Amino acid sequence: MIFGRRPTTPERRLLRRTAAILACRIAAGFALALAVLGFCTYRMVMAEQHQQAEKGLDFVLAYASPDAAEPCLWLFELDDGKLLRPAQVPAGFPLESAIASAPSNGGAVRTSVTRNGTVYDVVTVRHAAIVRQAVFDTTYEQADLDHLLRALILVGIIGIVLATLVGAEIGRRSIMPLGDAMARQRRFVADASHELRTPLTRLHTRAQLLLRWRQGQLPEELADELTALVRSSRDLNDVVEDLLLSAGLRSDPSRRELVDLTELTAAAVDAERPRLASRSLTLISSPATVCGAASPLRRMIATLLDNAISHTDSTGRIQVTLRPADRGGSIELEVADNGTGFDPADSERIFERFAQSGHSGPRRFGLGLALAREIATDHGGTIRAVGCLGSGATITVRLPRAPDGAIRSGKPAPHGTAVEAGRQERPVG
């Protein structure tokens, strides 16, 4: 195992991705450093070669004679129309255009020409009636530069590979404590939830017994308080069960069950109908089954609906769409409204716990959407938001579809069913 104690599946993917990103950044930084170093080395060697060639040409012009044999270096001298030249010279030399343009004050004319597939450096100097021209073949210099470039590329490739391996090891060692911490956190949540379940169950049971004791003889205020206590203890018990279920799903993905997302969505829409008032809520659904836990998914859908209703005025419109995506490989749940919306710059920030909006104004985001993203991630899905201030928002959750041949529980809504809820009080689901 890469990360010490075996973390849960979504966390393992996150840790591996983080380690891979760290390794890539280390490799990219090393590659950039090698590229800069190689470029500087190449330029320095090139400049040094050019300087040495210039010194050699100046020396030949000042002290050498045409009949002296120099490797890759030839001297021509034109004195009153008489040309002195070495025994063997490359074709096309001396360079007559340079001789004709040489100034009479002794200034040098430097140029580079290509002859016979080779680059030559040419320096021409005129002193009174004498013109001297030195020609240097840069073939070996260019060959040295080519060898240097190939060596730098080879060293760079080897260095990048080694940097990637070293970066991967550094990433593994750096992320390992985080993996251990996340595993401990999950284990603590599971243990704490397990320990809380029994006393909460007892509390809920005793509250029910108190409520039923001499039912009808209790004062109305006491009966109302006991009813609220029963409801609160049940809700708290549900939260603990969700924590246990979530921890179990993460540590053991085989415990996932088939969940009819169409049925959950229709039930969530129906549950929100009393809050709609004069708002319009439309549900467009297709048969959709995913693998996971029904309770967290129900809470996620309820959170998205609550967010849409809370940010839509009394005459607003909300549309919930459940459809296949990725050519049937995924299920897409979309909740769109025409409410207050949000700054597009906050499209990622709204999923952070109690984040402050980047838009001017005292707006903070709560915990609901952050929990919705955790639920989507736990089920192997993604969540994204698109919106604009004053123009509404659209939040889309994409979850992997259950494998083919899975048997759905319950009765899903017919394909393409559109259901209205709101002031018209039409049936939902």
Side-chain angles (χ1 to χ4, degrees):
M1 180 59 197
I2 297 180
F3 301 109
R5 292 186 180 91
R6 184 178 182 87
T8 56
T9 301
E11 292 164 352
R12 187 161 63 249
R13 289 197 298 266
L14 176 62
L15 293 174
R16 285 176 175 172
R17 184 165 61 248
T18 303
I21 291 174
L22 181 58
C24 290
R25 287 181 177 177
I26 293 175
F30 190 76
L32 180 61
L34 280 180
V36 172
L37 181 62
F39 176 78
C40 293
T41 302
Y42 188 84
R43 294 292 297 178
M44 288 176 60
V45 172
M46 180 185 294
E48 182 67 22
Q49 285 184 343
H50 185 67
Q51 185 178 7
Q52 292 296 328
E54 287 186 347
K55 288 181 178 180
L57 288 170
D58 293 339
F59 180 83
V60 167
L61 285 171
Y63 303 106
S65 61
D67 56 354
E70 294 286 345
C72 301
L73 191 60
W74 300 272
L75 177 65
F76 301 89
E77 183 176 301
L78 184 62
D79 186 2
D80 289 334
K82 182 180 179 182
L83 179 63
L84 301 177
R85 53 185 292 173
Q88 294 182 349
V89 298
F93 292 100
L95 193 63
E96 296 181 358
S97 59
I99 294 175
S101 61
S104 58
N105 59 0
V109 176
R110 300 180 182 273
T111 184
S112 294
V113 295
T114 302
R115 294 283 190 274
N116 310 316
T118 304
V119 178
Y120 297 91
D121 289 338
V122 181
V123 180
T124 306
V125 178
R126 182 189 297 272
H127 293 281
I130 299 176
V131 179
R132 292 168 67 87
Q133 184 178 91
V135 179
F136 177 69
D137 186 351
T138 64
T139 299
Y140 294 105
E141 282 190 348
Q142 189 59 47
D144 291 340
L145 287 176
D146 292 341
H147 290 314
L148 176 62
L149 182 60
R150 285 194 291 268
L152 289 175
I153 293 175
L154 179 61
V155 170
I157 293 174
I158 295 175
I160 291 173
V161 172
L162 292 178
T164 302
L165 296 177
V166 172
E169 180 64 19
I170 293 175
R172 184 187 71 84
R173 293 180 178 272
S174 300
I175 299 301
M176 187 185 300
L178 179 59
D180 293 339
M182 296 176 76
R184 292 192 192 101
Q185 179 191 25
R186 294 298 170 192
R187 190 161 55 250
F188 170 77
V189 171
D191 293 344
S193 301
H194 185 271
E195 293 299 323
L196 287 172
R197 182 168 58 175
T198 300
L200 285 175
T201 302
R202 292 172 181 170
L203 175 63
H204 180 63
T205 302
R206 289 176 179 176
Q208 286 180 311
L209 291 175
L210 283 174
L211 182 61
R212 294 172 184 173
W213 182 61
R214 294 184 179 179
Q215 193 166 8
Q217 300 180 15
L218 294 174
E220 183 178 352
E221 294 82 0
L222 182 58
D224 292 341
E225 291 298 326
L226 285 174
T227 301
L229 178 61
V230 170
R231 184 168 55 249
S232 298
S233 61
R234 182 178 61 247
D235 292 342
L236 188 56
N237 213 351
D238 290 342
V239 171
V240 173
E241 290 293 337
D242 284 350
L243 289 174
L244 273 173
L245 182 58
S246 177
L249 287 176
R250 291 189 174 197
S251 60
D252 185 8
S254 64
R255 296 176 60 182
R256 297 175 182 266
E257 299 176 347
L258 293 177
V259 179
D260 190 340
L261 204 61
T262 308
E263 194 173 284
L264 289 184
T265 305
V269 169
D270 186 58
E272 293 291 351
R273 183 169 53 183
R275 294 181 56 195
L276 294 176
S278 57
R279 298 178 183 88
S280 171
L281 175 59
T282 303
L283 170 63
I284 303 175
S285 62
S286 300
T289 304
V290 298
C291 290
S295 182
L297 290 173
R298 185 184 298 109
R299 292 183 182 275
M300 180 189 69
I301 299 170
T303 297
L304 298 182
L305 288 173
D306 175 72
N307 179 76
I309 295 172
S310 300
H311 294 90
T312 306
D313 58 29
S314 58
T315 59
R317 296 187 307 275
I318 302 171
Q319 179 171 300
V320 181
T321 305
L322 191 63
R323 56 175 176 255
D326 294 335
R327 299 181 179 179
S330 302
I331 301 298
E332 201 169 70
L333 172 65
E334 180 183 276
V335 180
D337 63 72
N338 64 342
T340 57
F342 58 87
D343 188 344
D346 294 331
S347 59
E348 288 295 328
R349 194 176 290 114
I350 65 174
F351 296 109
E352 298 176 4
R353 296 168 181 260
F354 305 108
Q356 179 71 43
S357 173
H359 180 69
S360 58
R363 182 174 182 181
R364 291 179 63 85
F365 305 112
L367 188 62
L369 291 179
L371 294 177
R373 179 171 65 174
E374 287 189 7
I375 294 171
T377 303
D378 288 346
H379 286 77
T382 60
I383 185 170
R384 61 185 178 88
V386 178
C388 185
L389 283 173
S391 300
T394 300
I395 298 181
T396 305
V397 178
R398 181 170 291 187
L399 300 173
R401 186 177 65 87
D404 292 334
I407 301 176
R408 278 188 265 270
S409 61
K411 185 179 180 181
H415 182 76
T417 300
V419 184
E420 284 281 329
R423 184 175 3 188
Q424 295 81 2
E425 295 289 324
R426 298 186 184 179
V428 175

